[in-house]
Amino acid sequence: MSFLNSIVIYFVIWWICLFIFLPIEVSKQKNILKGNDPGAPENPKLKKKFLLTTLFSFVVWFGIFLWFNL
C-alpha cells in the first residue's frame, strides 16, 4: 500500500466514523428561541467527537494497513 493510498483510505475511514460518532450524546435545546431549529443540539461536543473519530479511525486504519502488508 503506497503512502497516498494510505492517506486516502484513512480519510475515507475517518469520514465514515464521524457519521457514526455524531449522534452520540445529543440533547435537544430546552429553551427554543424564535428562529432556531427545535431539533438542533444544545451542546454538540464536536471536539470530543473529532478526537474519538480520529482515534477510532486510526485503530481501524492500522488494522487494514497490517492486513495488506503482511
Side-chain angles (χ1 to χ4, degrees):
M1 186 180 322
S2 72
F3 181 72
L4 185 61
N5 286 346
S6 298
I7 290 175
V8 170
I9 290 172
Y10 178 78
F11 179 73
V12 170
I13 292 169
W14 189 91
W15 196 252
I16 292 170
C17 291
L18 177 65
F19 287 112
I20 293 171
F21 285 106
L22 275 178
I24 295 174
E25 295 183 23
V26 175
S27 59
K28 293 183 180 180
Q29 295 180 3
K30 295 176 182 135
N31 300 329
I32 301 171
L33 302 174
K34 185 177 181 181
N36 285 2
D37 183 16
E42 190 167 334
N43 183 8
K45 302 176 185 174
L46 290 178
K47 287 182 184 178
K48 179 181 177 182
K49 292 177 183 181
F50 282 180
L51 179 65
L52 286 172
T53 300
T54 302
L55 294 174
F56 185 75
S57 298
F58 180 76
V59 170
V60 172
W61 173 84
F62 192 70
I64 291 171
F65 182 78
L66 288 178
W67 178 266
F68 282 107
N69 288 322
L70 287 180

